[in-house]
């Protein structure tokens, strides 16, 4: 009799993670990531300075060039930033109506992680880790926590 433990059979198939270190994957994702980011920036009424900072401190000339021609290769950090922001955008639109979802990042928030600041100010001050925190907070709210 075999007493070895085994996981029960399941229909769950884990998603294959995208390897952002792969140049081919970044080439595949970069243009659509930038287009999505610029649409998000418009929906959130972001100032260009704030949008540049959310992208990781991009210069004005590079920002306007990217906006005009989004067909370029992004670094892992920038794709990750855009991914978090688009996830935040999606979660907000699932949780709230369109008007509040697009205003939420610029409204003061009483959640302790924001310390009375707006989520946008929190993300601008905390960079990538702050974006991750906001994304996790909203994902938890979507899950009922």
């Amino acid at each position: 009799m075999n007493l070895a433990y085994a996981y029960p059979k399941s229909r769950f198939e884990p998603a294959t993670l995208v390897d952002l270190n792969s140049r081919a994957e970044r080439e595949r994702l970069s243009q659509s990531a930038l287009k999505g980011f610029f649409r998000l920036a418009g929906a959130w009424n972001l100032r260009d300075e704030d949008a540049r900072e959310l992208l990781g401190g991009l210069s004005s000339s590079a920002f306007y060039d990217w906006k005009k021609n989004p067909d370029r290769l992004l670094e892992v950090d920038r794709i990750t930033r855009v991914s978090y922001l688009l996830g935040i955008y999606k979660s907000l639109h699932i949780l709230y109506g369109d008007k509040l979802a697009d205003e939420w990042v610029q409204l003061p928030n009483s959640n302790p992680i924001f310390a009375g600041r707006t989520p946008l100010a929190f993300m601008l001050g905390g960079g990538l880790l702050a974006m991750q925190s906001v994304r996790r907070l909203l994902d938890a709210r979507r899950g009922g926590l």
Side-chain angles (χ1 to χ4, degrees):
M1 185 159 146
N2 186 359
L3 296 177
Y5 292 103
Y7 285 107
K9 296 214 186 265
S10 152
R11 291 182 294 166
F12 173 75
E13 292 291 328
T16 304
L17 296 178
V18 175
D19 180 9
L20 292 180
N21 291 313
S22 162
R23 183 180 177 90
E25 286 297 326
R26 287 186 287 124
E27 285 173 348
R28 182 178 70 82
L29 297 170
S30 291
Q31 184 176 5
S32 57
L34 274 180
K35 285 180 178 181
F37 173 79
F38 289 121
R39 285 190 187 122
L40 171 149
W44 286 355
N45 293 315
L46 295 179
R47 298 178 319 145
D48 288 347
E49 298 81 26
D50 292 340
R52 290 185 2 239
E53 189 62 32
L54 289 174
L55 283 173
L58 201 59
S59 70
S60 294
S61 58
F63 178 78
Y64 294 115
D65 184 43
W66 287 20
K67 201 171 184 177
K68 189 168 82 173
N69 180 17
D71 189 15
R72 63 190 63 253
L73 180 67
L74 295 178
E75 305 88 7
V76 173
D77 176 74
R78 292 213 165 100
I79 289 180
T80 303
R81 288 170 177 273
V82 172
S83 174
Y84 280 137
L85 293 168
L86 291 174
I88 291 166
Y89 177 88
K90 178 182 175 182
S91 291
L92 288 170
H93 280 268
I94 290 170
L95 290 167
Y96 308 116
D98 289 342
K99 183 174 174 8
L100 178 57
D102 290 337
E103 293 174 353
W104 186 86
V105 295
Q106 301 212 33
L107 298 173
N109 198 302
S110 62
N111 188 296
I113 70 167
F114 300 119
R117 296 178 293 171
T118 67
L120 178 60
F122 175 71
M123 291 187 289
L124 290 171
L128 191 60
L129 293 177
M131 291 176 202
Q132 181 185 42
S133 295
V134 173
R135 171 79 188 265
R136 291 176 68 193
L137 170 72
L138 294 170
D139 286 347
R141 285 186 182 168
R142 282 179 47 202
L145 298 178

